[in-house]
Amino acid sequence: MKKKYKIIIFVIIGYAVIALLANHELNSITNESRPHGSQTDTPELTRNNYLMGFLNEYRSSYDVTYYDINIDFDIQQKSIDGFVTIKAKSLVDIDTLQVDLAKNLGITKIIHENNSVQYSREEDAVMVMFNKTINKDTLFDFTVHYSGKPQGADNPPWSGGFTWAKDKNDRDWIAVSCEGEGARIWWPNKDHITEEPDSVRMAFTVPSNLVSVGNGQLRSVVESEDNKTTYEWFINNPINNYNISVQIGNYVTVQDTFIKNSRVHYMDHYVLDYNEEVGKNYFLQAKEVIRFYEKYFGEYQWWNDGYKLIEVPYLGMEHQSAVTYGNGFSIYNGLRSDSWPMYGVMDPLIIHETGHEWFGNSVTAIDPTHIWIHEGLQVYSEALYFEDKFDSYPVSIDYLKSIKPRIQNKIPIVGPENENYWALNGDTYMKGAWVMHTLRSTINNDPIWFEILKEFMIENAKGHVSTEDFFNKVKEKTGTDYSYFSEQYFYSPNQPELEYYQTDFNFYYKWNNVNDSFIMPIDLLVNGIEKRVLPNKEFESIDISKHSTIEIMDWKFYVKPIQKK
Ligand SMILES: [Zn+2]
């Protein structure tokens, strides 16, 4: 067939597929492409986020088991040329499936069983139409060949893509970050948060004067005749697509070991050659972080892939088993250290991104709208780190108070599902942490609280969970249904207000700005003695003696005390 006719047929099939997909209700589609950033409004659903966020029949029909990623980097052109083999199991009979690749990257061909197959594209969705039906329960694979200039990063890691930088010696230094944007901005995959392959091979080809670093273990380094070198990396665990990363630069390794139960685990960190000395000393902190997380949240899950820190030209990111670091080797004066003080005992970036090996990488949100499970729990765990480190509950309060002014209360922490809505705004982090702190105070039983956290993390290791799953665990451990709490703090933007006033012999209090179902208790300090009360939506009171001093313990609960005028 002549190429021209072939293209026409592809276009016709493409429109048929689009028409099929467009059958769903799509009221408010805008051209908004960036799924997250500093949100104060829940974004409108775009056509692309509809295609990426929802597991339609062309996506739920198969389960990816393995990605084989091969990419050649042209650093001068800031472009990539690669092919990815996707191995999967069919869950139903399949004629057509959806795989995802950013629309700005060109596809040269898609191969299945040595033959080209047809495909059509709409936004970032690629509909692959096989030449014959793939029967249910078949292991099959297909390979997508593609190339182009991948999206650059505006403000990594929050607004991600490729960072094409230069190091202090004016040499190339490149890294990618794509949480929210999706791994499809640089390689084709089924780009949904619930789809994790069992293993991944990455072969990154770069000019021979540079080193390329991926996740997991380095398997081989092969230099070719054209002065290029291919670094082959392998991940032997399930992994979120956005955690798969590449870093390219003048790297050297600094080695460390983590010894546990007389087993030695090797940690091969990567830093730029001129930072070998500082890296060797500074990255020792990572071991203390891992020990802390193992104590409270269960075993590190990826020892067979190792653990390493990799220096990058942006702040950093939780790339699984390959945590990236760009905080300037500075406890106090790094980019992050300035805004997120850690009392001079820990690099805030190392603890935050390493903690994500538990919150996010091991226990993953079932939809990105529940991403407080990654970020809110992560920030909260940092408060617990200080409590443990200094053996002092007040230090954790002090830490939480330092982040409190960043809470906005404009939109709920959890938004819509199935819309590729990455709820990575400020309230997910800081309010998420405060809500966990408030829940601890409400439950008022620390041994149970710490069991809830640890069991939840261990039972769901390498799994996917929702907000409801977390509260089911809370209910199982406490015997109490805290859905009133979850509805108020996760699904409503409103901060409960405790309105109060005092007379000679009574202290009056009531809840404002709360859901009808809200029945949270709160603790008061009455002349220095803690007293728990159960406010309603109408004023109630306790008896007090004349001139009593009453404090509402708002350092334990995320509530706003308001004195009645
Ligand atoms: Zn984070």
Side-chain angles (χ1 to χ4, degrees):
M1 201 187 309
K2 276 186 182 165
K3 206 176 169 190
K4 197 171 152 190
Y5 295 115
K6 235 177 180 172
I7 291 169
I8 291 169
I9 288 173
F10 284 3
V11 168
I12 291 168
I13 293 171
Y15 275 113
V17 171
I18 291 164
L20 216 74
L21 289 169
N23 268 336
H24 300 273
E25 273 292 309
L26 291 170
N27 293 325
S28 45
I29 303 297
T30 68
N31 289 322
E32 176 66 46
S33 64
R34 282 266 156 73
H36 70 86
S38 184
Q39 295 145 338
T40 48
D41 285 315
T42 306
E44 299 275 285
L45 176 60
T46 65
R47 178 69 184 157
N48 200 36
N49 282 338
Y50 172 76
L51 291 167
M52 296 302 113
F54 178 56
L55 282 174
N56 62 45
E57 61 184 295
Y58 303 101
R59 307 175 92 193
S60 60
S61 57
Y62 70 105
D63 176 28
V64 174
T65 58
Y66 177 68
Y67 291 114
D68 188 292
I69 304 169
N70 303 267
I71 301 176
D72 194 333
F73 291 85
D74 184 335
I75 293 165
Q76 301 315 316
Q77 295 298 320
K78 297 183 179 172
S79 70
I80 57 177
D81 186 359
F83 61 95
V84 173
T85 298
I86 299 167
K87 288 192 179 175
K89 185 184 173 190
S90 54
L91 303 177
V92 293
D93 290 351
I94 296 177
D95 297 309
T96 301
L97 60 71
Q98 178 185 329
V99 68
D100 308 308
L101 182 68
K103 60 185 171 188
N104 64 311
L105 297 175
I107 294 176
T108 38
K109 60 184 173 183
I110 299 179
I111 303 291
H112 172 62
E113 294 182 346
N114 299 318
N115 292 311
S116 280
V117 297
Q118 298 179 347
Y119 59 90
S120 67
R121 305 185 71 172
E122 184 200 1
E123 297 284 346
D124 293 348
V126 181
M127 303 304 294
V128 181
M129 290 157 268
F130 295 102
N131 300 329
K132 60 173 192 185
T133 302
I134 295 166
N135 292 326
K136 184 182 177 209
D137 292 329
T138 308
L139 285 170
F140 67 103
D141 64 72
F142 60 101
T143 302
V144 181
H145 296 254
Y146 70 106
S147 62
K149 293 189 180 201
Q151 170 181 323
D154 291 344
N155 182 26
W158 301 283
S159 181
F162 272 82
T163 301
W164 306 89
K166 298 281 186 186
D167 68 13
K168 284 181 186 168
N169 291 339
D170 206 32
R171 302 168 301 181
D172 289 310
W173 190 21
I174 296 124
V176 70
S177 57
C178 59
E179 186 186 19
E181 288 76 19
R184 65 184 179 280
I185 66 165
W186 65 292
W187 57 279
N189 61 85
K190 181 172 158 185
D191 215 357
H192 192 274
I193 197 164
T194 55
E195 181 62 276
E196 298 190 31
D198 303 327
S199 58
V200 183
R201 176 186 169 272
M202 293 156 285
F204 298 134
T205 302
V206 296
S208 290
N209 59 325
L210 296 166
V211 174
S212 78
V213 187
N215 313 63
Q217 302 284 357
L218 181 61
R219 277 193 165 175
S220 71
V221 180
V222 178
E223 194 168 350
S224 59
E225 284 170 3
D226 53 355
N227 206 26
K228 286 184 168 183
T229 301
T230 300
Y231 290 79
E232 183 193 23
W233 293 87
F234 200 88
I235 305 164
N236 227 329
N237 275 295
I239 182 169
N240 296 321
N241 296 338
Y242 65 81
N243 268 313
I244 293 169
S245 67
V246 63
Q247 290 72 218
I248 303 167
N250 281 265
Y251 286 113
V252 294
T253 56
V254 295
Q255 291 187 330
D256 195 3
T257 52
F258 185 93
I259 300 167
K260 196 186 167 196
N261 302 333
S262 64
R263 275 199 67 187
V264 181
H265 301 289
Y266 292 92
M267 304 163 86
D268 294 330
H269 306 304
Y270 282 75
V271 291
L272 294 177
D273 46 11
Y274 52 73
N275 282 327
E276 187 171 357
E277 189 68 23
V278 64
K280 196 184 287 175
N281 299 318
Y282 199 83
F283 285 171
L284 294 173
Q285 295 175 68
K287 292 195 285 192
E288 182 182 323
V289 173
I290 292 170
R291 288 209 175 87
F292 164 75
Y293 281 99
E294 289 204 325
K295 178 177 169 185
Y296 285 91
F297 308 107
E299 301 261 315
Y300 179 74
Q301 294 293 309
W302 327 114
W303 279 126
N304 57 342
D305 286 334
Y307 168 90
K308 60 178 175 272
L309 290 163
I310 308 165
E311 188 185 358
V312 286
Y314 64 90
L315 183 59
M317 180 65 200
E318 65 248 35
H319 298 143
Q320 186 173 310
S321 79
V323 172
T324 57
Y325 177 83
N327 195 39
F329 305 102
S330 173
I331 291 274
Y332 278 113
N333 298 317
L335 263 175
R336 176 62 75 84
S337 313
D338 239 10
S339 61
W340 214 318
M342 294 265 158
Y343 308 102
V345 293
M346 179 53 67
D347 183 289
L349 212 272
I350 292 179
I351 190 171
H352 184 91
E353 307 304 348
T354 302
H356 278 310
E357 296 283 26
W358 284 259
F359 305 108
N361 299 356
S362 175
V363 179
T364 304
I366 204 159
D367 184 290
T369 200
H370 298 285
I371 212 144
W372 71 269
I373 291 161
H374 302 199
E375 302 297 354
L377 278 171
Q378 175 53 43
V379 175
Y380 177 62
S381 76
E382 290 158 28
L384 295 181
Y385 168 75
F386 295 120
E387 187 171 333
D388 182 83
K389 173 90 180 170
F390 297 107
D391 193 18
S392 165
Y393 176 68
V395 178
S396 73
I397 301 280
D398 187 68
Y399 173 75
L400 288 163
K401 283 177 82 171
S402 78
I403 61 173
K404 197 176 186 179
R406 296 197 230 170
I407 299 175
Q408 301 178 65
N409 294 315
K410 287 192 174 143
I411 56 171
I413 293 174
V414 179
E417 290 185 341
N418 299 319
E419 296 188 3
N420 194 33
Y421 171 60
W422 292 72
L424 287 163
N425 56 67
D427 281 358
T428 295
Y429 290 71
M430 312 310 174
K431 190 173 175 183
W434 263 94
V435 170
M436 286 297 102
H437 177 60
T438 305
L439 185 58
R440 173 187 181 175
S441 306
T442 305
I443 292 171
N444 203 22
N445 183 330
D446 276 354
I448 293 277
W449 173 243
F450 286 105
E451 277 174 34
I452 288 170
L453 294 178
K454 192 165 187 174
E455 287 179 22
F456 180 72
M457 294 305 290
I458 290 173
E459 288 164 8
N460 295 298
K462 299 186 181 180
H464 290 82
V465 291
S466 65
T467 304
E468 196 185 355
D469 292 327
F470 181 80
F471 281 91
N472 284 340
K473 182 71 203 173
V474 173
K475 187 177 180 183
E476 176 204 315
K477 296 294 293 183
T478 60
T480 303
D481 185 352
Y482 283 96
S483 45
Y484 78 84
F485 184 98
S486 151
E487 277 161 28
Q488 181 70 41
Y489 281 112
F490 286 107
Y491 292 91
S492 135
N494 301 327
Q495 181 186 21
E497 295 171 357
L498 191 74
E499 191 178 357
Y500 68 94
Y501 65 96
Q502 188 170 342
T503 59
D504 276 356
F505 299 105
N506 286 96
F507 181 78
Y508 292 85
Y509 50 83
K510 75 190 258 287
W511 287 128
N512 286 342
N513 206 31
V514 294
N515 295 339
D516 286 346
S517 62
F518 191 69
I519 49 163
M520 191 175 80
I522 189 159
D523 296 334
L524 309 174
L525 276 181
V526 182
N527 296 319
I529 304 287
E530 211 169 305
K531 180 171 177 61
R532 175 155 290 207
V533 293
L534 247 177
N536 272 307
K537 282 101 214 163
E538 303 299 331
F539 277 113
E540 291 178 13
S541 69
I542 50 169
D543 296 340
I544 54 171
S545 53
K546 202 169 182 181
H547 304 309
S548 284
T549 298
I550 315 274
E551 274 195 278
I552 294 159
M553 298 180 78
D554 63 348
W555 56 92
K556 286 175 68 183
F557 297 83
Y558 187 64
V559 299
K560 191 174 182 181
I562 295 195
Q563 189 169 6
K564 188 176 190 294
K565 291 190 182 106

